[in-house]
Amino acid sequence: MIAGVSPLVAELKARAETGQPVTIGLAGCGQMGTDIVVQLARMPGLRLGAVAEMRPPQAKAAAALAGFDSDQTIYAETATAIDAAIEAGRIAITSDPEILARAGRLDVVIDATGNPNTGTQFALTAIAHGKHVVMLNVEADITIGRHLHEAARRAGVVYTGAAGDEPAAALELIGFAQSIGLQVVCAGKGKNNPLKFDAVPADYEHEAAQRNMNARMLVEFVDGSKTMVEMVAIANCTGLVPDVPGMHGPAATRDELASVLIPRGDGGVLSKAGCVDYSIGKGVAPGVFCIVTTDHPRLQERMIDLKVGKGPYFTLLRPYHLTSMEVPLSAARAVLHRQADMVPLPGPVAEAVTLAKRNLAPGEILGRIGETDYRAWAMTHAEARSANAVPLGLAQGARVVKPVRAGERLTYDNCVPDDSLIVTQIRRRLDQEDARFHAL
């Protein structure tokens, strides 16, 4: 081991010194993907081998931003050409994620597309070709992640959520708390942007331009959709559940979390322990939290003495998450240790369903998340199943067949998902399996 560094850094430096870096393929080069391209250029033992982006010049621009000369990138539209580019020490750029997924010189791929169907197909192809998969596409994961995980298990590769995103950051805290015998009462995040359920891109073009991001993506955060998706992802990896539809989302500050997101019997808002939720209070964002307790007075005394809180509930806080800057760590751990940072449970406990943002008329085809048609809403899986609710991951491209008023749920009665999509087909099979299980 190299002295003075962590074991993972030592392993990566050794890979770099022996000319055997972990070679990574990236699908999607928007804001997050561009960050990943830049970050990978600064991490020893990791190498960007190829990028799939529907606008190839954008991937080339990202590589230039990361410090690569123009002749270090090359357009490649076959898997063989991608392999040849990697062997020549260049970065291959393709317009087709499927081609990238088939390339033989990649150890692991990262999905940063944000599209549930594209991510599903990309992951399945990569798994079939023996590659580990890091799923930054949380929308795909909460829709059919358990299927992808099982496919990866059968293929002998790793399927994992991405380090740096709030769900994986929260899981770090949850796992730590559980490892030392603390009871997890609630876990979640501070919401990073003001909450406005009816937000639409046209109202956020200026702010998005100032923040160098897409207005639709910004709205996905502002209207609460991303928060709902992330909390459902945590739930489906841990068994923690939304306490009420949409969760509570109190304006609890950092110091108030452990007196608010606790059971009502002790003065909080929760009906029970074991929940996911979020806060819009000051001092929590951009961090994640885990509210814990212990039934032993000596341990409560020690936590109070160590300034964790006033007791009997305490807040463990990770005050930051570095999003795409941390994502490559999941790729490294998948390849070097066959370790997943975040894996869905065999059966879901929560669902991100879909609420209309405006009145929807029969015949309308729904657009993307973060636009004007709908937003996400977290519920327990049982509640969503009882309501016949359409999962958020199946909303894009779905056809409205009955009038839906603003604020109402999209259901299989008033909306028909696009059956030509692989994500729809897989989710239907999963739902049929669940129905048979619950009928027993």
Side-chain angles (χ1 to χ4, degrees), residues 111-162:
D111 174 26
T113 64
N115 182 293
N117 191 67
T118 301
T120 297
Q121 187 62 65
F122 175 64
L124 288 172
T125 304
I127 289 167
H129 286 78
K131 294 174 184 61
H132 306 296
V133 174
V134 178
M135 182 57 78
L136 183 56
N137 183 342
V138 189
E139 293 79 7
D141 181 73
I142 63 169
T143 308
I144 48 86
R146 53 181 164 145
H147 176 85
L148 297 177
H149 172 55
E150 177 58 21
R153 187 195 65 78
R154 292 196 305 268
V157 296
V158 172
Y159 171 83
T160 178

Side-chain angles (χ1 to χ4, degrees), residues 13 27 64 87 119 121 229 292 301 305 327-328 405:
K13 286 190 172 183
E87 290 166 5
Q121 187 62 65
V229 166
V292 299
E301 176 188 328
D305 183 55
V327 172
R405 297 187 63 82

Side-chain angles (χ1 to χ4, degrees), residues 97-258:
E98 288 290 291
I99 291 172
L100 184 147
R102 292 185 171 91
R105 293 295 183 180
L106 298 172
D107 300 311
V108 56
V109 297
I110 300 170
D111 174 26
T113 64
N115 182 293
N117 191 67
T118 301
T120 297
Q121 187 62 65
F122 175 64
L124 288 172
T125 304
I127 289 167
H129 286 78
K131 294 174 184 61
H132 306 296
V133 174
V134 178
M135 182 57 78
L136 183 56
N137 183 342
V138 189
E139 293 79 7
D141 181 73
I142 63 169
T143 308
I144 48 86
R146 53 181 164 145
H147 176 85
L148 297 177
H149 172 55
E150 177 58 21
R153 187 195 65 78
R154 292 196 305 268
V157 296
V158 172
Y159 171 83
T160 178
D165 221 4
E166 283 104 322
L171 258 64
E172 288 181 11
L173 288 179
I174 294 166
F176 168 72
Q178 293 173 332
S179 71
I180 60 172
L182 297 174
Q183 179 191 358
V184 175
V185 177
C186 186
K189 62 171 277 186
K191 193 176 184 310
N192 297 315
N193 299 275
L195 179 61
K196 191 173 188 295
F197 287 134
D198 61 353
V200 294
D203 296 334
Y204 289 86
E205 294 287 353
H206 179 67
E207 180 180 344
Q210 288 183 317
R211 296 172 63 176
N212 194 29
M213 66 188 302
N214 180 283
R216 181 198 63 78
M217 180 179 289
L218 176 57
V219 166
E220 189 176 342
F221 289 91
V222 174
D223 72 8
S225 292
K226 202 67 173 179
T227 294
M228 300 293 162
V229 166
E230 289 164 344
M231 296 304 97
V232 167
I234 294 171
N236 286 338
C237 289
T238 62
L240 304 174
V241 295
D243 187 43
V244 295
M247 300 174 289
H248 295 281
T253 66
R254 174 176 178 165
D255 293 335
E256 294 169 340
L257 287 172

Side-chain angles (χ1 to χ4, degrees), residues 3-72:
V5 299
S6 74
L8 180 60
V9 172
E11 288 181 84
L12 290 172
K13 286 190 172 183
R15 297 278 295 229
E17 290 168 2
T18 58
Q20 296 178 306
V22 173
T23 304
I24 297 171
L26 171 68
C29 202
Q31 182 185 35
M32 299 288 277
T34 297
D35 290 346
I36 292 170
V37 172
V38 174
Q39 182 65 24
L40 280 171
R42 280 145 183 78
M43 297 177 73
L46 299 176
R47 181 195 169 194
L48 178 63
V51 182
E53 167 57 45
M54 62 187 298
R55 299 152 297 183
Q58 185 160 316
K60 194 172 184 68
L65 187 63
F68 294 99
D69 294 334
S70 179
D71 62 0
Q72 291 177 279

